Amino acid sequence: MRKSESAPKIGTVDKFLLNLDEGAFGALYRVLIGFTTIPAMRLLLGSDSPDWTLVPFLLSVLLLLRVGLAIVRKVVPFSAELQEAWSVRRRTAKLYDSYQWRKLMWIGAGLGLYVAVSGRYWFVQIALSMFCLITGAGATVRWRAVAADSKFSKPTARKIKSAAA
């Protein structure tokens, strides 16, 4: 039986790298990002910085994550199959914003966890945590509906030429 040429073969290391962004580990590292955002802001901007600066600081963190990962994808020589799998994810994210927004739920959980552990119940921190949790949860519900509905188009992997050919 001939194997499908359109389905890329992904090795063990590539599977590990691909799964870093999914499941429990993906949720855990996003919670960690949220948990460390407030202390990082206080460290970098000083503890006397206004509370409202948390919002632009979090937006900066999210932008740095996006740009930093894009740079890593360009600089580090990942396999063509792994790059294509990531490309499918990025195309999916462009089609359905809920794919990216659902990540906020875990970041909001980390922010909320920090607020609870620190005992500093400041309005901006609580409001931003709640905003992230609510929009992230809503996006997760929307994403699951889109993923389960066959009428929505789904990006697929492009055919990858093998190195031996």
Side-chain angles (χ1 to χ4, degrees):
M1 180 193 298
R2 188 173 176 191
K3 291 184 180 179
S4 170
E5 292 181 26
S6 63
K9 295 178 183 174
I10 296 181
T12 306
V13 173
D14 288 350
K15 276 186 185 179
F16 173 76
L17 291 172
L18 191 60
N19 290 328
L20 279 177
D21 197 37
E22 296 294 324
F25 188 80
L28 182 63
Y29 96 79
R30 287 186 187 97
V31 167
L32 188 59
I33 289 168
F35 189 83
T36 59
T37 296
I38 296 170
M41 183 191 80
R42 298 283 180 226
L43 179 70
L44 295 172
L45 302 180
S47 58
D48 58 343
S49 62
D51 289 345
W52 64 266
T53 57
L54 179 59
V55 174
F57 188 82
L58 178 62
L59 291 173
S60 300
V61 167
L62 296 174
L63 180 65
L64 282 172
L65 282 170
R66 187 174 180 117
V67 171
L69 292 174
I71 291 169
V72 168
R73 282 193 309 270
K74 295 289 183 191
V75 173
V76 178
F78 295 108
S79 72
E81 292 82 8
L82 183 59
Q83 289 180 10
E84 182 56 27
W86 283 336
S87 175
V88 169
R89 283 186 183 171
R90 288 191 306 279
R91 290 193 312 263
T92 302
K94 287 178 185 176
L95 281 175
Y96 311 110
D97 281 343
S98 58
Y99 180 81
Q100 293 295 352
W101 279 88
R102 67 188 181 127
K103 296 175 181 181
L104 277 182
M105 183 174 67
W106 297 112
I107 292 172
L111 286 167
L113 184 62
Y114 178 80
V115 169
V117 168
S118 72
R120 297 182 190 150
Y121 301 105
W122 297 338
F123 175 76
V124 173
Q125 294 175 356
I126 294 170
L128 187 58
S129 300
M130 294 305 296
F131 173 80
C132 291
L133 283 167
I134 291 168
T135 56
T140 299
V141 168
R142 173 74 179 136
W143 173 252
R144 289 189 177 160
V146 166
D149 195 337
S150 61
K151 72 179 176 185
F152 290 103
S153 63
K154 311 285 189 295
T156 58
R158 294 173 281 212
K159 189 174 183 178
I160 298 174
K161 296 177 185 176
S162 65

